Amino acid sequence: MSTRPELLAPPEIFYDDSEARKYTSSSRIVEIQARLSERALELLALPKDNVPRFLLDIGCGSGLSGETISENGHQWIGLDISASMLNVAVEREVEGDLLLGDMGQGLGLRAGVIDGAISISAVQWLCNADKSSHEPRWRLKAFFGSLYRCLSRGAKAVFQVYPENIAQRTLIFRHAIQAGFSGGLVFDYPHSTKKRKEFLVLRCGSVPTSINDGRRESCSDDEDDDSQDEENGMVGVSDRNRPRKKQRTNKNGKGREWVLRKKEQSRRKGNDVPADSKYTARKRKSRF
């Protein structure tokens, strides 16, 4: 049986009081969360002007990633669906404000108030239908649409994700682009089975984002492997500005002969058609 928690139970059930305390008391998990949060803030690339930013922590849990945000001098608000996790965060007296809610139903925040967002291992939960009313496509649409609205223009959102397969990765990325984001995927240590981490980095706005900050393993791979990583897309980038469909056009246009033929066909059907004249099918000037 798979050990992926999102396949065992819905998050609000899986992370009960016992699991929430077990999760937060694990020194290994605390260390991993801190490292991933630091990396997410690095990819967020906030201006280094000593001005605190207002960040959103999506799937904040017991506030482990929020502590990293506070240590970097920023203010934050956290959203999570597990009441048990939030209770542990309150007991730990985290500095951020906490919201109990389902991100798959939308965030419900005021437009343009968030300067940036991070999420550690949470978005892939939206790809599972835990209830008969759950449809992953609609939940992802509601989430990314509401996130786009609450972010200030030009702000970034960084998601550390564990998609189960390529189909989930594509589903998440496609709905992010459809919501209006630009951006791409960053893979840290792509050749390592243990260190490999995947980040979805999005920008709120119409300007495509080029991402080339993936980390590599410190091992003696040859140059061919390094160049293959760059060519095969260690960092995948997709532009949200999709080309429009080309309309079918007749190169010859609809000339006088075509109009006369259509008018004659209409007369044969018994329709009332204006008489032909020298002005029939004549092209109008650009202005009278």
Side-chain angles (χ1 to χ4, degrees):
M1 185 177 181
S2 176
T3 58
R4 294 176 66 94
E6 59 266 26
L7 300 181
L8 300 180
E12 64 273 23
I13 297 177
F14 180 83
Y15 290 108
D16 55 12
D17 292 341
S18 174
E19 189 65 28
R21 297 185 184 281
K22 178 182 176 182
Y23 185 92
T24 310
S25 61
S26 172
S27 59
R28 175 177 172 273
I29 291 179
V30 171
E31 180 184 355
I32 293 175
Q33 280 279 344
R35 187 165 62 248
L36 293 176
S37 301
E38 285 286 356
R39 177 59 170 152
L41 288 176
E42 180 183 347
L43 292 173
L44 207 56
L46 296 171
K48 297 181 179 180
D49 52 7
N50 295 324
V51 177
R53 261 56 183 194
F54 187 45
L55 305 182
L56 174 63
D57 185 5
I58 304 166
C60 64
S62 57
L64 297 178
S65 52
E67 288 183 341
T68 303
I69 297 177
S70 298
E71 291 172 358
N72 281 268
H74 302 293
Q75 299 175 352
W76 61 280
I77 182 173
L79 173 75
D80 203 278
I81 195 174
S82 171
S84 299
M85 278 290 200
L86 295 180
N87 289 336
V88 175
V90 172
E91 293 177 3
R92 299 177 65 247
E93 298 181 350
V94 296
E95 297 183 11
D97 295 324
L98 303 173
L99 294 176
L100 176 64
D102 180 6
M103 60 180 173
Q105 295 181 356
L107 301 179
L109 299 175
R110 184 181 297 178
V113 298
I114 304 298
D115 298 319
I118 69 170
S119 178
I120 306 301
S121 187
V123 176
Q124 71 271 4
W125 287 83
L126 293 177
C127 296
N128 297 281
D130 298 319
K131 300 178 181 178
S132 59
S133 60
H134 283 184
E135 168 56 52
R137 291 175 300 175
W138 294 112
R139 288 171 60 77
L140 285 166
K141 180 180 179 180
F143 167 65
F144 282 115
S146 61
L147 177 63
Y148 188 90
R149 289 189 293 272
C150 74
L151 287 173
S152 59
R153 220 36 78 222
K156 283 185 178 181
V158 178
F159 305 91
Q160 188 273 320
V161 293
Y162 290 110
E164 185 179 7
N165 47 46
I166 297 177
Q168 280 194 2
R169 179 185 297 117
T170 304
L171 183 67
I172 294 172
F173 187 72
R174 183 173 69 245
H175 280 83
I177 299 302
Q178 289 176 351
F181 287 102
S182 59
L185 294 166
V186 173
F187 296 92
D188 286 352
Y189 310 108
H191 292 301
S192 175
T193 56
K194 293 183 178 180
K195 288 185 177 182
R196 188 178 188 272
K197 294 295 183 292
E198 181 173 337
F199 295 87
L200 175 61
V201 183
L202 304 174
R203 180 186 292 274
C204 183
S206 60
V207 181
T209 305
S210 178
I211 307 166
N212 54 10
D213 194 24
R215 294 180 178 176
R216 302 183 182 182
E217 301 170 86
S218 57
C219 57
S220 57
D221 292 338
D222 55 17
E223 295 181 358
D224 293 338
D225 292 338
D226 291 341
S227 60
Q228 185 176 3
D229 281 340
E230 296 176 357
E231 295 176 359
N232 294 341
M234 181 181 65
V235 178
V237 179
S238 177
D239 185 355
R240 82 175 185 92
N241 299 318
R242 297 177 296 277
R244 296 181 179 180
K245 294 183 179 179
K246 294 183 179 179
Q247 298 180 350
R248 295 181 179 179
T249 57
N250 186 359
K251 295 181 179 180
N252 298 326
K254 297 178 181 179
R256 178 180 175 83
E257 293 182 359
W258 182 88
V259 174
L260 293 176
R261 185 168 65 252
K262 287 296 183 181
K263 291 178 70 175
E264 184 62 28
Q265 291 176 358
S266 185
R267 291 191 185 99
R268 293 174 184 174
K269 294 179 181 179
N271 297 329
D272 187 12
V273 181
D276 300 337
S277 70
K278 64 178 182 179
Y279 299 106
T280 300
R282 178 178 290 186
K283 184 178 180 180
R284 288 180 179 272
K285 295 182 178 179
S286 59
R287 62 186 180 87
F288 294 103

